[in-house]
Amino acid sequence: MSKFVFVTGGVVSGLGKGITASSLALLLKARGYKVFMQKFDPYINVDPGTMSPFQHGEVYVTADGTETDLDLGHYERFIDEELNYTSNITTGKIYQSVIEKERKGDYLGATVQIVPHITDEIKSKIYAAASTSGADIVITEIGGTIGDIESQAFIESLRQMRNELGKENTLFVHATLVPYIYGSNELKTKPTQHSVIELRGMGIQPDLIVCRSPEELNQHLKEKISLFCSVPTENVIDSIDVKNIFWVPLNYLKQGMDELVLKQFKLPITESKIKYWQDLVNKVDNLKEEVEIALVGKYVELHDAYLSVNESLKHAGYANNVRVKVNWINSEDLEKMDSLDEVFKTTSGILVPGGFGSRGIEGKIKAINYARTHNIPFLGICLGMQLAVIEFARNVCGLPNASSTEFNEVCKDPIIDLMAEQKGIINKGGTLRLGNYDCKIKEGTLAFEDYKILEIKERHRHRYEFNNKYKELLASKGMVFSGINEKADLVEIIELKNHPHFIACQFHPEFKSRPTRPHPLFNSFIRESIKHK
Ligand code: GLN
């Protein structure tokens, strides 16, 4: 049977609870345990797919096509395991399934209530994560902060699980804040004490307390938290601010966090094979060269909207021994400019990521045009590929009215259009083309140079597609269709013949990049950008 770790947060949001959960998972995996991760999000949306990136940051997509919270990206990047539909559960999902069961008559005769029906449903999702993954240890993070109305049913379910399975099979990690107060010049433990009181009020005594603070907690402070919060002193772990999140697992390792967990679970304390991570941290901290990449998007004020793209650029930087400096460019700003020379003066590569809707697209097209005509390495992702095709059609193939039916339903040359099977769909939630699809790579192309294999699978999240009616014309002018989904005859990768490095894909490679295993498309993009510099 699996063991269960529950990670809750107190005091404030944004403490890095997701990184704490991922770091513990990484440490346990390094000791040879099979780990699986899961996040509960207390909002009513069934998934984050229908939320604005400004609200929620990026929507991360797992291989099976589940639209999830961006914390799942951290999980996959830290533990390098594929997660799935059992990994992100919202209040919306829980209620949807309970109400469906009620209508079917599964609870005939009963009054359907939060306890036990909603809490049973929540527990069933934790057990489902355990049984589908076969993990030794399942780590479940609860979104939000203790005391929020929304998360109460989740917390109650965890309390029940502790009651049913005992301390040997369940462990509570509570992540809190220990702020530094200027004036009195000291770290304060009171918010942590209050947060633990709140948690206890809901019937949960934490086993480990992880304290985010600007500096290490001294023994005296750890003893104080131990006394007030009823945990042994060594179970108070500090989590100091770091300039590079890869340090977090190493700081926890130093304090024996993984050993404390294994001890409570009565699991053998095996050797930690963590050297690969230490090497990575070392490398990242000692990068000397820098390369500047322009990321042209419309949600650039909130970097979290492009979290995985940003991480993927960094990963490719590590592999190429450079620090990637991202120049965040709001595409709408480019629309009014006569010349882009000044904007791209220090740019070594231009990336246009995914996006939805018509705002800012002309600015992105202008940036793509600049990359194409100035031989600047270019990587286009999803909407970025669609716009690269539109730019080429308009400016090279003599189709000035080329566009996507997403922006203009009646455009003269709908070079990007809805797939036939999308045309009848009315519901917006969960109906995009999502998750893994096959792609066949053409030999003798940039894509083949990158992947070095003929069959790949990549993750998708889009509704519109390249319109094959225009394929011949574009090919005759130098566009290469180097990746195709043969089953549905869909264009997956395009590139240009007469350009040093111009490549774009309909899928999202950023979801598959890992710190020690950069994605091939990002890897070559950074490599060529360094050359261009
Ligand atoms: N808006 C485009 C589509 O739906 C692109 C989506 C994306 O970039 N993820 O096809």
Side-chain angles (χ1 to χ4, degrees), residues 35-331:
V35 186
F36 192 75
M37 298 188 75
Q38 179 183 47
K39 176 155 192 213
F40 287 151
D41 278 309
Y43 48 71
I44 316 270
N45 302 59
V46 171
D47 59 48
T50 51
M51 278 186 232
S52 156
F54 283 124
Q55 279 279 321
H56 193 266
E58 109 184 333
V59 174
Y60 189 79
V61 181
T62 50
D64 67 351
T66 309
E67 296 179 278
T68 75
D69 183 75
L70 52 74
D71 265 325
L72 269 80
H74 288 310
Y75 298 171
E76 286 205 342
R77 286 187 286 271
F78 269 60
I79 63 172
D80 203 358
E81 297 281 339
E82 277 199 357
L83 303 175
N84 58 35
Y85 68 97
T86 65
S87 286
N88 198 194
I89 306 297
T90 66
T91 296
K93 275 203 174 101
I94 297 290
Y95 274 80
Q96 190 181 43
S97 109
V98 168
I99 291 169
E100 264 167 27
K101 285 182 189 167
E102 187 276 333
R103 291 288 83 186
K104 265 198 335 216
D106 288 3
Y107 310 117
L108 271 191
T111 306
V112 181
Q113 295 179 296
I114 293 185
V115 181
H117 300 95
I118 294 294
T119 50
D120 279 353
E121 190 67 29
I122 293 170
K123 287 190 285 181
S124 79
K125 302 295 186 199
I126 302 174
Y127 289 121
S131 64
T132 55
S133 67
D136 302 314
I137 301 166
V138 175
I139 299 185
T140 304
E141 178 192 347
I142 320 302
T145 307
I146 287 305
D148 295 348
I149 294 173
E150 288 97 334
S151 53
Q152 283 184 2
F154 289 106
I155 305 291
E156 166 60 16
S157 308
L158 308 185
R159 186 197 63 77
Q160 293 175 14
M161 276 187 72
R162 159 61 64 92
N163 191 39
E164 289 155 14
L165 303 175
K167 222 176 149 156
E168 216 179 296
N169 296 304
T170 56
L171 180 143
F172 285 91
V173 177
H174 189 52
T176 72
L177 178 70
V178 175
Y180 184 87
I181 302 299
Y182 290 93
S184 58
N185 295 340
E186 51 181 354
L187 293 169
K188 290 294 191 185
T189 64
K190 191 76 84 187
T192 296
Q193 296 174 36
H194 279 286
S195 171
V196 170
I197 289 170
E198 184 114 32
L199 196 54
R200 282 204 205 122
M202 303 174 88
I204 289 170
Q205 165 62 45
D207 301 298
L208 289 180
I209 300 180
V210 174
C211 304
R212 175 76 184 271
S213 72
E215 50 190 69
E216 280 178 20
L217 304 187
N218 61 31
Q219 191 61 15
H220 164 70
L221 283 175
K222 287 193 172 181
E223 279 166 10
K224 195 168 167 190
I225 293 172
S226 155
L227 176 68
F228 281 96
C229 302
S230 316
V231 296
T233 315
E234 67 264 27
N235 290 32
V236 181
I237 311 275
D238 57 48
S239 191
I240 53 167
D241 300 343
V242 283
K243 68 171 195 298
N244 159 8
I245 55 170
F246 296 162
W247 269 104
V248 178
L250 299 182
N251 286 346
Y252 292 168
L253 179 72
K254 207 171 65 192
Q255 297 175 78
M257 186 185 194
D258 49 344
E259 292 187 43
L260 290 167
V261 171
L262 294 175
K263 228 190 279 168
Q264 179 162 328
F265 285 157
K266 299 207 165 61
L267 290 171
I269 299 183
T270 41
E271 185 203 343
S272 176
K273 298 209 167 86
I274 195 79
K275 191 172 171 301
Y276 79 102
W277 196 262
Q278 285 159 332
D279 292 345
L280 173 74
V281 173
N282 234 333
K283 180 164 203 182
V284 174
D285 279 356
N286 291 301
L287 294 172
K288 293 198 176 59
E289 300 292 319
E290 192 171 85
V291 68
E292 185 180 307
I293 300 299
L295 190 150
V296 185
K298 71 171 172 184
Y299 316 112
V300 290
E301 295 89 337
L302 183 71
H303 294 183
D304 269 0
Y306 304 107
L307 182 65
S308 294
V309 171
N310 194 16
E311 291 300 310
S312 304
L313 286 170
K314 290 192 214 161
H315 303 162
Y318 310 151
N320 288 284
N321 293 308
V322 291
R323 192 176 314 109
V324 176
K325 182 178 167 213
V326 175
N327 181 9
W328 302 88
I329 295 179
N330 188 334
S331 59

Side-chain angles (χ1 to χ4, degrees), residues 53 297-299 306 331-332 335 352-365 382-384 386-387 390 403-408 416 428 432 461-464:
K298 71 171 172 184
Y299 316 112
Y306 304 107
S331 59
E332 277 181 296
E335 290 172 7
V352 176
F356 290 83
S358 58
R359 189 169 59 81
I361 58 142
E362 292 304 329
K364 292 179 192 172
I365 290 174
C382 206
L383 181 68
Q386 298 175 355
L387 298 178
I390 292 172
S403 189
S404 162
T405 48
E406 181 179 8
F407 323 132
N408 178 2
I416 304 295
K428 291 275 183 274
L432 296 163
R461 181 170 187 258
H462 58 105
R463 210 178 291 281
Y464 294 81

Side-chain angles (χ1 to χ4, degrees), residues 446-459:
L446 291 180
F448 185 73
E449 241 176 67
D450 289 349
Y451 283 101
K452 298 182 174 60
I453 47 173
L454 289 170
E455 311 273 350
I456 58 161
K457 270 189 206 319
E458 291 282 359
R459 301 184 193 176

